[in-house]
Amino acid sequence: MTHKDSLSARLPTPWGDFMIHALEADDGKEHVALTFGDWNSKQPVLARIHSECLTGDALFSLRCDCGFQLKAAMQKIAEEGAGVLLYLRQEGRGIGLTNKIRAYSLQDQGMDTVQANEHLGFGADERDFKVASDALDQLGIQKIRLMTNNPRKVSSMIDAGIDVVERVSLKYGHNPHNEVYLSTKQSKLGHLF
């Protein structure tokens, strides 16, 4: 993964000024890192690894908790005074936008998230978090306090040599439209709420 220094800029947000950095990974996708404040490389950095969710992040869908988690993570980083949010281009748990919409259609017919992905010939979660560990390494971050409900992210970071000193829960966005989705994340994917 390469950090495109010439593609860094100030990103004003409702929570303060972040810096946005374009990252180009071996997977051919353009990912971004949002950094806030300064950190000591020897201290754990508050971090969020967020996979792209067009419907939740940009279109305000209530089918998931993604947009709520994104906003909460940015707010927590700003309140802390320093941290990083990695925004990874892994739409629909890595199956892409078109297949995600196909999965939504299957969910409308009664399948849960995992069943829909598997019906389409995918695994329950196709994301690869190596790109995240590469980005953290590139930013000089070896110790993190990871904002996630997903134990797989924690394991992936540890396996990649990132020291996860704490898992910080992100329980936001529960509503009647995503009850089955969240229940499936907990019962079939092991998410911790």
Side-chain angles (χ1 to χ4, degrees):
M1 171 176 286
T2 59
H3 177 265
K4 296 186 168 191
D5 286 319
S6 61
L7 292 179
S8 294
R10 187 175 64 86
L11 184 72
T13 75
W15 306 282
D17 287 356
F18 282 76
M19 288 296 293
I20 186 168
H21 313 274
L23 304 169
E24 195 170 279
D26 296 337
D27 62 8
K29 296 177 183 174
E30 293 179 329
H31 308 279
V32 296
L34 299 179
T35 58
F36 192 92
D38 298 314
W39 53 80
N40 176 334
S41 62
K42 296 185 189 301
Q43 296 296 317
V45 176
L46 185 62
R48 167 78 178 154
I49 300 167
H50 190 89
S51 294
E52 176 182 31
C53 176
L54 177 69
T55 53
D57 297 342
L59 301 177
F60 316 109
S61 172
L62 297 177
R63 292 184 83 125
C64 63
D65 56 349
C66 303
F68 299 101
Q69 288 185 339
L70 177 62
K71 290 175 187 172
M74 291 178 72
Q75 183 175 354
K76 282 180 182 253
I77 289 169
E79 287 171 355
E80 180 110 347
V84 61
L85 184 139
L86 300 178
Y87 195 87
L88 306 182
R89 305 297 302 275
Q90 301 188 99
E91 180 74 51
R93 295 196 175 278
I95 67 173
L97 182 59
T98 301
N99 285 319
K100 175 181 173 177
I101 294 170
R102 286 185 180 112
Y104 276 177
S105 178
L106 293 169
Q107 291 168 40
D108 288 344
Q109 298 169 40
M111 291 187 188
D112 66 33
T113 309
V114 171
Q115 291 167 334
N117 281 17
E118 290 173 346
H119 182 81
L120 293 171
F122 299 105
D125 191 341
E126 296 279 332
R127 293 175 295 176
D128 179 1
F129 295 113
K130 182 175 182 342
V131 66
S133 63
D134 290 348
L136 290 171
D137 188 51
Q138 198 174 95
L139 292 166
I141 299 172
Q142 291 301 314
K143 294 180 182 180
I144 60 174
R145 295 170 44 234
L146 184 59
M147 289 185 279
T148 188
N149 299 323
N150 183 349
R152 183 172 166 251
K153 281 185 192 176
V154 174
S155 298
S156 294
M157 292 301 96
I158 293 170
D159 291 347
I162 303 295
D163 185 5
V164 181
V165 300
E166 179 185 3
R167 182 189 70 82
V168 179
S169 179
L170 273 179
K171 186 177 178 182
Y172 294 91
H174 292 120
N175 67 74
H177 301 282
N178 67 16
E179 285 178 4
V180 172
Y181 168 79
L182 295 174
S183 175
T184 301
K185 282 173 73 171
Q186 186 172 23
S187 65
K188 293 189 175 181
L189 300 173
H191 285 222
L192 307 167
F193 291 110

